[in-house]
């Protein structure tokens, strides 16, 4: 098993979820996160998203503190080893716009999983 962690733009979550569902991947977790990469932030990309209250508030707060953190969404997806490539390619296809801040994808091994309710272990728990 592998865990795919994708950090993407907030406005791409629904499109990414639909694309993953279309290839048969429905189980995931999504979290609101704040962050930035190594490069300077291109705020013109954020301005294209509009003046949504959540974006404006978080962005203003980050700028006021000098942190310059950008609101993003982090998706975590557990998949069989054979599904990693198609999931990663789908995420890239949906999120790649050719701009800084398009996102990051990390793939990590999962040593074990347990289902609390039944006690199932390993791939059966996923």
């Amino acid at each position: 098993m592998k865990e795919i962690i994708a950090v993407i733009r907030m406005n791409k979550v629904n499109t990414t979820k639909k694309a993953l569902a279309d290839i048969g991947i429905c189980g995931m977790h999504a979290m609101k996160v704040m962050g930035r990469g190594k490069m300077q932030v291109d705020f013109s990309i954020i301005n294209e998203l509009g003046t949504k209250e959540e974006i404006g508030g978080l962005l203003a707060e980050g700028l006021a503190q000098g942190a310059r953190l950008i609101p993003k969404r982090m998706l975590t997806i557990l998949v069989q080893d054979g599904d990693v490539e198609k999931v990663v390619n789908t995420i890239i296809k949906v999120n790649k716009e050719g701009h800084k801040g398009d996102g990051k994808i990390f793939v990590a091994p999962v040593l074990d999983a347990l289902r609390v309710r039944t006690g199932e272990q390993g791939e059966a728990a996923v």
Side-chain angles (χ1 to χ4, degrees), residues 11-72:
N11 64 326
K12 292 292 191 172
V13 173
N14 288 331
T15 310
T16 303
K17 287 191 310 187
K18 183 179 180 334
L20 290 171
D22 289 346
I23 63 166
I25 304 296
C26 296
M28 72 179 68
H29 291 90
M31 294 165 270
K32 295 179 182 180
V33 295
M34 300 279 291
R36 61 168 289 182
K38 294 178 185 178
M39 303 301 283
Q40 285 221 315
V41 178
D42 185 357
F43 288 103
S44 67
I45 302 299
I46 293 171
N47 292 336
E48 291 174 16
L49 298 176
T51 56
K52 295 179 182 168
E53 186 175 319
E54 180 181 12
I55 295 170
L58 292 172
L59 185 57
E61 180 182 318
L63 289 172
Q65 296 172 359
R68 294 184 168 260
L69 298 177
I70 305 300
K72 298 280 189 172

Side-chain angles (χ1 to χ4, degrees), residues 89-106:
N89 289 338
T90 299
I91 294 169
I92 290 171
K93 181 180 175 185
V94 171
N95 290 277
K96 184 176 182 180
E97 294 182 349
H99 302 291
K100 295 174 185 173
D102 279 350
K104 291 274 195 285
I105 300 172
F106 307 95

Side-chain angles (χ1 to χ4, degrees), residues 25 114-115 124:
I25 304 296
L114 293 105
R115 186 182 310 263

Side-chain angles (χ1 to χ4, degrees), residues 1-4 77-79 81 107-113 122 126:
M1 286 182 291
K2 298 282 194 254
E3 179 182 28
I4 299 171
I77 309 156
L78 287 180
V79 298
D81 289 353
V107 179
V110 174
L111 301 177
D112 203 1
V126 180

